[in-house]
């Protein structure tokens, strides 16, 4: 019975992994390029579960086997291990958001260089690209340009709204936030985790993250409108 219980858990977990991998739900947990690995893991788990069931079905029953002793019964509480798997099947947790950002310092990465921006305004940029150009290029590549940046709202010191995005190296466990302050025509009443598409220009204003003292650049907002959460909520 113990092997059968293990097989059921493997089967449930394999089905959950495949269900997640074949939808965009997996993007809440890992980088986009890891989908083939998730599919492979799901298939292996299901095959292992099927092999276990086959082995148990084909195994001859031992002769003269004594009845199970009272002290050796399998604890029913062990079936609670299936609860997290069933929870993932029924209700997928949301992507990380403002709660995570509020508890980690901004982690702007300095790139090897700053390619010329595409022609036409507003030019779409990621939160990380805008922040890196504003901090490490001192806004030179942003001069005279209008940019469009999408992220979710988080509240800085004193309840000041900021735009943020989380970056992944591999999975949600190593997520690091990038924060951009907002000034100018910032809508009132912004709530954490609300997604915004912000249009604006480079601002020379800068502050330090109170958590790790990392620089937080600002964006001079000319327009901000709510948008749905994107297919991939993280930046690479």
């Amino acid at each position: 019975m113990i092997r059968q219980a293990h097989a059921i858990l493997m089967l449930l977990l394999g089905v959950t992994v495949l269900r997640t991998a074949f939808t965009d739900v997996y993007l809440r947990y890992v980088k986009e390029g890891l989908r083939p690995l998730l599919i492979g893991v799901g298939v292996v788990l299901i095959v292992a579960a099927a092999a276990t069931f086959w082995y148990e079905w084909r195994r001859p029953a031992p002769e003269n086997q004594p009845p199970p002793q009272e002290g050796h019964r399998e604890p029913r509480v062990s079936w609670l291990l299936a609860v997290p798997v069933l929870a993932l099947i029924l209700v997928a947790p949301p992507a990380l958001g403002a709660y995570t950002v509020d508890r980690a310092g901004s982690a702007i990465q300095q790139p090897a260089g700053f390619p010329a921006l595409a022609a036409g305004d507003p030019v779409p940029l990621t939160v990380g690209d805008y922040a890196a150009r504003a901090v490490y290029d001192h806004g030179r590549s942003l001069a005279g340009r209008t940019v469009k940046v999408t992220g979710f709202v988080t509240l800085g010191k004193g309840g000041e709204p900021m735009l943020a995005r989380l970056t992944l190296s591999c999975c949600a466990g190593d997520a690091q936030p990038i924060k951009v302050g907002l000034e100018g025509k910032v809508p009132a009443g912004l709530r954490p985790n609300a997604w915004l598409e912000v249009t604006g220009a480079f601002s020379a204003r800068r502050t330090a993250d109170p958590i790790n003292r990392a620089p937080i650049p600002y964006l001079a907002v000319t327009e901000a409108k709510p948008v749905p959460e994107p297919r991939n909520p993280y930046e690479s």
Side-chain angles (χ1 to χ4, degrees), residues 116-123 141-147 200-202:
L117 297 178
D121 283 339
V123 57
S141 59
L142 299 170
R145 301 300 303 271
T146 301
V147 300
F202 168 71

Side-chain angles (χ1 to χ4, degrees), residues 23-184:
T23 64
D24 289 338
V25 173
Y26 84 100
L27 292 172
R28 300 178 186 178
Y29 314 119
V30 297
K31 293 183 69 171
E32 190 165 7
L34 295 180
R35 170 180 265 173
L37 291 179
L38 285 180
I39 294 174
V41 169
V43 170
V44 169
L45 286 170
I46 291 174
V47 170
T52 303
F53 282 127
W54 175 258
Y55 172 79
E56 287 295 302
W57 181 66
R58 297 283 293 178
R59 187 176 64 169
E63 297 180 0
N64 302 321
Q65 183 180 10
Q69 300 297 316
E70 183 70 24
H72 295 284
R73 288 183 177 176
E74 299 164 23
R76 295 181 179 178
V77 72
S78 62
W79 285 100
L80 291 177
L81 293 172
V83 172
V85 179
L86 291 174
L88 283 174
I89 294 175
L90 299 175
V91 181
L96 300 178
Y99 181 87
T100 302
V101 171
D102 293 343
R103 285 155 181 77
S106 191
I108 304 173
Q109 300 296 320
Q110 183 173 6
F114 298 96
L117 297 178
D121 283 339
V123 57
L125 293 178
T126 64
V127 174
D129 193 6
Y130 174 82
R133 290 173 184 270
V135 171
Y136 296 112
D137 192 40
H138 305 285
R140 286 187 289 263
S141 59
L142 299 170
R145 301 300 303 271
T146 301
V147 300
K148 181 166 62 178
V149 184
T150 300
F152 59 85
V153 175
T154 185
L155 300 181
K157 189 176 181 180
E160 178 188 17
M162 310 182 82
L163 201 67
R165 203 77 181 255
L166 288 156
T167 64
L168 300 186
S169 297
C170 170
C171 57
D174 59 33
Q176 293 183 306
I178 300 175
K179 309 172 188 179
V180 171
L182 301 176
E183 65 177 16

